[in-house]
Amino acid sequence: MSAAFQLGVITDEISQDIDDAIRIARRYGLDALELRSVDGEQLYRLSDLRIEEIGAAIRAAGLKVSGLSAPVFKCNLRNEEEIAEHRETLTRYADLAQRLGTRFVRGFSFWADGPLEEAFDDIVRELKSVVPILERHGVIYALEADPAVYASNAAKAAALIRAVDSPYIQGLYDPGNDLWDPDREVPYPDGYEALKGRICHIHLKDAVKQGDHTEAVAIGKGQVDYAGLLHRLVQEGYDGYLVVETHYRLQSSLTEEQLKRPAGYAFSEGGEEATTDCLNSLFELLERSSISISKSGS
């Protein structure tokens, strides 16, 4: 089977040095890099000159930028000052997306502080309020479910997306996150079915959940049915990105805080070893599944 999707990796899951990430991407024949933190800083804090240098290096390597993994709206829904700061941050990311040639800025749905139902209308209002920023820059807010925010799974994210009802706010499907979901949504097929038709971007991670403890592992070695998902994506002609987000280390463990706010040198320590392990596992899974990737879109 020939797949239309393209493969990428989040750079700080390898290193804070963009050249290291480029080297690994080229070694594995990836199509793109996704940017979250570089040089020890979240992307929006870097100078315009440094952004231009990073973009030039990626282009020179024959790679694209798949998206920007921003921390937008990982903040308190009841704090107007924080929300205003995050709107400014989103504006900066939207500008960076234009400069770097990507349409996707990942974002969230505010730190969870009670049931989604109680905050639903307020979250929808805030998401609608940023649509003009997105329209002006021609970028899409890729809303990701995350266990620490109100939309802790794909079904909740899909409900928000439907309520906002804008082509500029779509879904980022990360099946691995469901293994941390307090509601225990089944990553695939349940999470996929919930977001189907609204998925603009996909992150890949895997994990094993035992009781209340979840441990990230290499893609295909955990409890996400990636064989089933990959076949489904091929069958349905998904032609977007699959971006590896390793989220484990071989010689150490990421802290809860690092999982909630991934960025910086401490987060990236040991990342190259773990990400090559994860990429090897992904390509083994593709081979076992008899899936080849067309490079026509590269």
Side-chain angles (χ1 to χ4, degrees):
M1 290 184 293
S2 180
F5 52 69
Q6 300 177 71
L7 296 179
V9 63
I10 300 180
T11 63
D12 64 4
E13 295 282 1
I14 298 170
S15 172
Q16 289 294 311
D17 187 331
I18 196 65
D19 292 332
D20 290 337
I22 288 171
R23 172 173 49 81
I24 295 299
R26 294 188 68 181
R27 178 193 301 174
Y28 284 90
L30 304 183
D31 301 286
L33 295 173
E34 189 148 325
L35 301 172
R36 182 166 54 200
S37 64
V38 178
D39 300 343
E41 296 284 355
Q42 290 184 328
L43 199 68
Y44 75 102
R45 298 183 183 277
L46 297 178
S47 69
D48 288 349
L49 174 60
R50 184 59 180 138
I51 292 296
E52 292 302 321
E53 290 172 344
I54 291 167
I58 292 171
R59 291 190 297 273
L63 298 166
K64 293 172 285 189
V65 176
S66 60
L68 306 182
S69 277
V72 176
F73 289 157
K74 268 193 171 179
C75 67
N76 186 344
L77 179 61
R78 307 304 176 193
N79 188 315
E80 292 183 5
E81 184 176 341
E82 285 187 19
I83 291 174
E85 290 174 357
H86 276 248
R87 285 199 197 101
E88 291 181 7
T89 299
L90 176 58
T91 301
R92 171 65 171 163
Y93 271 102
D95 177 63
L96 295 181
Q98 286 185 318
R99 293 170 184 244
L100 293 165
T102 182
R103 294 188 64 208
F104 303 115
V105 175
R106 186 274 308 274
F108 297 95
S109 57
F110 302 94
W111 298 125
D113 185 21
L116 173 61
E117 294 74 19
E118 294 179 2
F120 191 90
D121 291 344
D122 292 335
I123 297 170
V124 170
R125 184 190 66 244
E126 296 300 340
L127 291 174
K128 284 184 174 181
S129 77
V130 301
V131 168
I133 298 170
L134 304 169
E135 290 178 332
R136 187 164 66 249
H137 291 84
V139 302
I140 292 172
Y141 188 96
L143 178 66
E144 180 174 359
D146 181 286
V149 301
Y150 278 106
S152 65
N153 58 40
K156 291 178 177 179
L160 290 170
I161 293 166
R162 286 193 300 271
V164 174
D165 192 25
S166 167
Y168 292 95
I169 296 188
Q170 299 293 324
L172 191 161
Y173 175 48
D174 185 333
N177 279 354
D178 267 340
L179 293 167
W180 281 268
D181 174 33
D183 294 341
R184 297 178 180 261
E185 179 178 78
V186 176
Y188 178 83
D190 296 11
Y192 181 80
E193 292 293 348
L195 268 178
K196 185 181 174 184
R198 301 179 184 274
I199 296 171
C200 67
H201 202 55
I202 296 176
H203 282 176
L204 304 180
K205 67 170 67 75
D206 209 346
V208 173
K209 186 177 188 70
Q210 294 181 320
D212 293 329
H213 178 70
T214 302
E215 189 75 28
V217 297
I219 294 165
K221 302 292 178 64
Q223 293 169 340
V224 176
D225 179 12
Y226 272 115
L229 173 60
L230 291 169
H231 276 108
R232 183 79 172 273
L233 294 174
V234 172
Q235 290 167 358
E236 296 186 352
Y238 175 75
D239 61 359
Y241 287 104
L242 302 184
V243 179
V244 171
E245 185 181 14
T246 311
H247 253 38
Y248 69 90
R249 303 292 179 257
L250 296 179
Q251 306 301 326
S252 61
S253 296
L254 295 171
T255 67
E256 183 176 348
E257 182 64 20
Q258 287 172 327
L259 293 173
K260 287 176 67 175
R261 294 182 175 89
Y265 286 105
F267 173 78
S268 295
E269 187 174 351
E272 180 172 333
E273 183 183 22
T275 297
T276 56
D277 176 64
C278 200
L279 285 165
N280 287 338
S281 187
L282 172 60
F283 279 99
E284 288 168 6
L285 176 58
L286 289 167
E287 185 175 1
R288 288 197 307 272
S289 302
S290 300
I291 296 173
S292 61
I293 300 174
S294 168
K295 291 295 181 179
S296 59
S298 300

